[in-house]
Every structure is written in structure tokens, then in C-alpha cells.
């Protein structure tokens, strides 16, 4: 009922809000958007058809869709495997941590695994970090876009 009243009042309110000397036309730009290279992949699905329940592939968006598309192509989009704990990383030979972002949170339990309490710390792209407990060194192995770090705050 409220929607019906608002729908009826909208044209009158728009006419009253428009200045007397304005025209009902808007400026229109026909210039094509300039892009370099291919457009980014779409991270939203097509959605379900009317009357049907959509599948995960049709309704997934964002990171969930990224992970689903990766699984469909046969690779793990997010590397969730544990890091190498068979050795202690050194500054000359740190344990490499794969990342699509310029920073990643890492947990160390020592070498061999579970030899000390879990310590969390943040790895950043151009800095090697050491675990405060065992001294094992970790380095970010960045695989994302070339200028991604310019957008971080």
C-alpha cells in the first residue's frame, strides 16, 4: 500500500523539484571505456532462472566463486597445505610461503612440528620474518599482480 502511494507521488515530486528552465534530457557520453588488456574475470555467477533453485556455480560470488572455479579447473585456489616443518628456515634459505597478496598471516609450531606453542605473525612482501620462539625464517613468495602493493594502506 505504501509502495502504491509512493509510486503515485513520485512524478509529481520530480516535476516540482526540477527547475523551470531545465530540460528533461541528460548529457550522454558515448566514449568507450579505455582499457589496457583483457577485462578482469567476473566474480559473480549468472544466477538461477525463475522458478528454479540455483546451483552453487550459478549463485556463488567473490572469493567463494574464485575457489569454486579453481576446484572445477583442478587446482586449489587457496594454498591451505601446511608449511614445510621438516627443517628450520634460515635467512639464507627461508621457508617460502606462497601468497596472492602482499602480506599473509603465518603460524609457526616449530621444527619438528608441534615442538613449541603456536606463534602467529604477519609476513610482508619484501621482508623475511623469524619466529620469536624457534628462530625459523619465513619469506613471502608473492604471485599476485605486479603493482598490487600500491593499493595497500
Amino acid at each position: 500500500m505504501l509502495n502504491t502511494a509512493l509510486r503515485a507521488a513520485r512524478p509529481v515530486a520530480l516535476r516540482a523539484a526540477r527547475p523551470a528552465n531545465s530540460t528533461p534530457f541528460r548529457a550522454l557520453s558515448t566514449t568507450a571505456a579505455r582499457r589496457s588488456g583483457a577485462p578482469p574475470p567476473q566474480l559473480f555467477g549468472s544466477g538461477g532462472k525463475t522458478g528454479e533453485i540455483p546451483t552453487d556455480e550459478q549463485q556463488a560470488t567473490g572469493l567463494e566463486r574464485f575457489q569454486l572455479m579453481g576446484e572445477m579447473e583442478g587446482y586449489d585456489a587457496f594454498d591451505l597445505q601446511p608449511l614445510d616443518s621438516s627443517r628450520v628456515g634460515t635467512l639464507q634459505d627461508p621457508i617460502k610461503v606462497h601468497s596472492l597478496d602482499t602480506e599473509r598471516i603465518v603460524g609457526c609450531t616449530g621444527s619438528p612440528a608441534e615442538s613449541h606453542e603456536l606463534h602467529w605473525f604477519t609476513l610482508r612482501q619484501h621482508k623475511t620474518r623469524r619466529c620469536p620462539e624457534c628462530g625459523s625464517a619465513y619469506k613471502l613468495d608473492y604471485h599476485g599482480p605486479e603493482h598490487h602493493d600500491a593499493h595497500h594502506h
Side-chain angles (χ1 to χ4, degrees):
M1 198 155 148
L2 176 63
N3 286 335
T4 306
L6 291 175
R7 226 178 290 128
R10 185 168 190 251
V12 175
L14 289 175
R15 274 193 302 268
R18 186 183 309 146
N21 61 357
S22 75
T23 64
F25 301 105
R26 296 186 311 168
L28 176 66
S29 173
T30 58
T31 306
R34 294 181 185 189
R35 295 189 179 178
S36 59
Q42 299 299 318
L43 289 179
F44 54 90
S46 59
K49 294 181 176 70
T50 304
E52 293 181 6
I53 297 174
T55 64
D56 286 344
E57 181 183 342
Q58 292 172 328
Q59 71 179 0
T61 61
L63 291 176
E64 180 183 2
R65 183 168 180 81
F66 178 70
Q67 184 177 13
L68 184 65
M69 296 293 111
E71 289 172 359
M72 290 172 64
E73 292 182 15
Y75 71 91
D76 186 15
F78 301 108
D79 182 19
L80 300 177
Q81 298 300 316
L83 297 175
D84 179 18
S85 63
S86 64
R87 66 183 183 89
V88 173
T90 63
L91 291 176
Q92 290 76 27
D93 186 22
I95 295 173
K96 301 229 187 274
V97 179
H98 177 84
S99 180
L100 297 174
D101 198 359
T102 57
E103 63 181 39
R104 186 163 176 183
I105 298 173
V106 175
C108 178
T109 60
S111 177
E114 306 295 330
S115 61
H116 65 69
E117 292 294 317
L118 179 62
H119 288 280
W120 295 101
F121 49 92
T122 303
L123 287 179
R124 291 193 171 73
Q125 187 174 3
H126 301 292
K127 186 176 181 183
T128 302
R129 288 285 309 264
R130 295 186 78 114
C131 173
E133 181 83 17
C134 66
S136 185
Y138 295 89
K139 183 169 181 67
L140 196 73
D141 188 16
Y142 178 65
H143 292 275
E146 186 177 329
H147 299 290
H148 182 70
D149 58 345
H151 301 289
H152 269 275
H153 299 281

